[in-house]
């Protein structure tokens, strides 16, 4: 992509300012755990992913649990454009009712573009736009132990920058990724709490407090940085991700603190058809509750805990199209390379060879210039020597 070189300095400056990702997994593939890759799957790729996250801790009334289950479906229209649909099928409410929001808690529609390579395709650029739609009553989306996702419709924009250690077989090489995102939620005037279910009463009475409504539309930056190192049938992930609120939620919102999480993950891919992900999120910053409520008042039974201190994520990815069942164990992996993939590999090899040819030409040019400089220096030395001889004769 020749035009990439013209805008590269600006893009690198933007990516260097902050890196980002979402706490939610908007796509099935083309990502680590929470961090998106800039590469998009090949045209015609169809992928399904099911993810469950869970947190549990001893509380005053037994054990407080927060369980969330979501599904993702991706399809690539071209090598550079894909669409993704995400739906949360189950979410514990933790509002004192003991209930969950199901069969649909929220859903997302995402359009992602990427695979814009430069520097012989070692670097890739991409971006996405996402629309978020909560389902059901708005108090059900102010959930204890969860990061802020908005009580109303949300819009998220995000950019990606990725580096791959091997430009011919990027999936088989180590890679480094950064994202930058901005989110805004159209949730002003939404009812934020079910005070009756949470047992939040007027002091000295058994009458629930009137349910407060939000007074502003929340917006935030989301950031993250991730790396992947693949082995023969395993992938190792490491991530740092979080947010910075530009417009903070109201004081009666549970998830109103700027946060940061660390994630370590492991992906097992015994065959090309399937992949199993297991990862652990650990809260690194944002554990101090700045809301006037605490989790025990919302039914969680854990005092002054806003975000989950840790979360276990388990996911299963199914590569539906193109359909492949070859084993991924090296060194006997059987690559099923289509003519189109083979043509792309030949093209990349040709680019590398052209770069090498250009480099050789530059080296030869430098050698010629060096010879010219050495010849000029020799002439200067001879001239100085001649001048010195003439002076001595005089």
């Amino acid at each position: 992509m020749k035009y990439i070189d013209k805008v590269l300095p600006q893009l690198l400056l933007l990516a260097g300012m902050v890196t980002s990702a979402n706490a939610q997994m908007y796509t099935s593939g083309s990502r680590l755990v929470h961090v998106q890759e800039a590469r998009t799957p090949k045209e015609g790729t169809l992928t399904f992913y099911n993810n469950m996250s869970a947190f549990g801790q001893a509380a005053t009334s037994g054990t407080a649990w927060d369980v969330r289950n979501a599904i993702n479906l991706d399809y690539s229209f071209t090598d550079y454009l894909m669409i993704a649909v995400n739906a949360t099928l189950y979410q514990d409410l933790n509002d004192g009712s003991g209930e969950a929001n199901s069969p649909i808690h929220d859903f997302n529609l995402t359009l992602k573009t990427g695979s814009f390579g430069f520097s012989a395709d070692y670097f890739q650029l991409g971006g996405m736009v996402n629309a978020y739609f909560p389902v059901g009553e708005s108090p059900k989306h102010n959930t204890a132990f969860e990061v802020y996702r908005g009580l109303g419709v949300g819009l998220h924009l995000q950019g990606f920058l990725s580096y791959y250690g091997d430009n011919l077989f990027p999936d088989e090489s180590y890679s480094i990724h950064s994202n930058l995102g901005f989110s805004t939620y159209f949730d002003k005037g939404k009812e934020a709490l079910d005070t009756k279910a949470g047992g939040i009463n007027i002091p000295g009475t058994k009458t629930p407090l009137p349910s407060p409504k939000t007074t502003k539309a929340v917006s935030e930056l989301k950031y993250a940085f991730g790396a992947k190192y693949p082995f023969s049938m395993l992938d190792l992930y490491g991530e740092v991700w979080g947010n910075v609120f530009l417009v903070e939620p109201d004081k009666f919102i549970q998830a109103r603190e700027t946060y940061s999480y660390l994630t370590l993950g492991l992906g097992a891919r015994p065959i090309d058809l399937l992949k199993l992900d297991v990862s652990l999120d650990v809260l690194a910053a944002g554990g101090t509750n700045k809301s006037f409520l605490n989790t025990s008042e919302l039914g969680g039974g854990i005092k002054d805990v806003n975000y989950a201190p840790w979360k276990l994520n388990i996911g299963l990815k199914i590569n539906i199209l193109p359909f492949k069942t070859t084993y991924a164990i090296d060194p006997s992996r059987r690559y099923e390379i289509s003519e189109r993939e083979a043509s792309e590999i030949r093209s990349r090899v040709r680019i590398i060879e052209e770069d090498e040819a250009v480099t050789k030409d530059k080296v030869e040019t430098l050698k010629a210039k060096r010879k010219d400089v050495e010849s000029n220096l020799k002439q200067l030395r001879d001239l100085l020597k001649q001048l010195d001889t003439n002076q001595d004769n005089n």
Side-chain angles (χ1 to χ4, degrees):
M1 304 298 294
K2 299 295 185 182
Y3 68 91
I4 290 295
D5 296 329
K6 298 179 181 180
V7 297
L8 177 58
Q10 292 88 344
L11 291 170
L12 289 177
L13 177 61
L14 181 63
M17 291 170 61
V18 62
T19 57
S20 91
N22 302 297
Q24 210 161 2
M25 301 174 187
Y26 291 126
T27 63
S28 299
S30 186
R31 62 170 179 77
L32 307 186
V33 181
H34 304 286
V35 179
Q36 293 283 329
E37 295 190 44
R39 288 180 65 247
T40 51
K42 298 299 180 184
E43 179 181 346
T45 300
L46 180 64
T47 308
F48 172 84
Y49 189 81
N50 179 262
N51 170 262
M52 184 194 75
S53 62
F55 159 73
Q57 185 172 320
T60 55
S61 57
T63 302
W65 288 99
D66 179 46
V67 178
R68 182 182 183 93
N69 183 267
I71 59 172
N72 304 68
L73 189 67
D74 297 352
Y75 180 74
S76 295
F77 293 104
T78 71
D79 289 350
Y80 306 99
L81 183 65
M82 64 179 285
I83 189 171
V85 179
N86 165 282
T88 302
L89 303 183
Y90 181 94
Q91 171 65 68
D92 282 333
L93 296 182
N94 297 311
D95 62 355
S97 65
E99 297 179 354
N101 208 9
S102 185
I104 298 180
H105 177 72
D106 56 43
F107 70 94
N108 293 268
L109 183 62
T110 302
L111 194 64
K112 179 175 179 178
T113 183
S115 295
F116 299 108
F118 59 95
S119 294
D121 288 343
Y122 283 101
F123 288 91
Q124 302 275 340
L125 290 171
M128 79 173 189
V129 57
N130 165 267
Y132 162 83
F133 304 93
V135 178
E137 301 171 356
S138 59
K140 294 182 179 181
H141 296 274
N142 180 29
T143 307
F145 311 129
E146 291 287 334
V147 300
Y148 193 83
R149 287 189 174 89
L151 309 183
V153 173
L155 180 66
H156 180 74
L157 304 174
Q158 186 165 319
F160 321 119
L161 173 65
S162 297
Y163 171 80
Y164 296 90
D166 189 330
N167 61 344
L168 294 179
F169 299 98
D171 288 332
E172 308 298 330
S173 71
Y174 72 89
S175 55
I176 301 171
H177 312 273
S178 62
N179 308 164
L180 169 64
F182 168 78
S183 297
T184 184
Y185 305 94
F186 303 96
D187 47 11
K188 183 178 180 180
K190 297 289 184 179
E191 194 173 276
L193 292 172
D194 188 340
T195 53
K196 182 178 181 180
I200 305 173
N201 301 325
I202 297 173
T205 73
K206 293 185 178 181
T207 303
L209 278 169
S211 296
K213 292 186 177 182
T214 56
T215 62
K216 47 190 165 183
V218 175
S219 62
E220 61 182 337
L221 288 176
K222 292 184 177 181
Y223 65 90
F225 176 84
K228 180 180 77 172
Y229 195 93
F231 292 94
S232 60
M233 59 179 295
L234 294 174
D235 293 334
L236 296 181
Y237 309 116
E239 298 178 343
V240 180
W241 55 276
N243 86 324
V244 176
F245 280 115
L246 302 177
V247 177
E248 289 185 345
D250 292 289
K251 291 185 178 297
F252 48 77
I253 297 294
Q254 185 68 26
R256 66 183 309 269
E257 299 82 15
T258 291
Y259 61 85
S260 181
Y261 273 91
L262 304 178
T263 298
L264 292 176
L266 181 68
R269 40 191 175 93
I271 60 176
D272 288 327
L273 178 64
L274 300 174
K275 184 177 181 181
L276 177 67
D277 289 325
V278 179
S279 60
L280 180 67
D281 302 332
V282 179
L283 185 65
T288 301
N289 194 342
K290 296 181 180 179
S291 170
F292 79 79
L293 298 170
N294 60 55
T295 310
S296 59
E297 289 177 317
L298 295 177
I302 306 175
K303 185 177 177 60
D304 287 333
V305 174
N306 50 350
Y307 301 123
W310 58 267
K311 271 199 174 184
L312 179 66
N313 307 299
I314 300 176
L316 177 65
K317 176 183 175 182
I318 303 176
N319 299 314
I320 302 174
L321 293 175
F323 184 75
K324 294 182 180 180
T325 58
T326 55
Y327 289 93
I329 301 175
D330 288 337
S332 60
R333 176 164 183 162
R334 301 189 300 274
Y335 288 99
E336 296 180 0
I337 301 178
S338 66
E339 181 57 34
R340 183 166 162 275
E341 290 173 325
S343 176
E344 181 180 347
I345 292 173
R346 293 190 194 99
S347 175
R348 292 190 178 188
V349 170
R350 187 165 57 252
I351 291 172
I352 293 172
E353 290 174 346
E354 288 174 355
D355 287 345
E356 289 180 349
V358 170
T359 301
K360 289 179 180 179
D361 290 341
K362 289 182 178 179
V363 169
E364 293 301 323
T365 300
L366 289 173
K367 286 181 178 178
K369 289 184 177 180
R370 180 180 175 182
K371 288 181 178 179
D372 289 342
V373 171
E374 289 178 346
S375 176
N376 291 336
L377 286 174
K378 185 176 182 303
Q379 291 178 6
L380 287 172
R381 290 193 190 99
D382 292 342
L383 178 61
L384 290 173
K385 185 177 180 181
Q386 184 177 357
L387 290 174
D388 292 340
T389 301
N390 292 338
Q391 289 178 354
D392 292 339
N393 293 333
N394 294 331

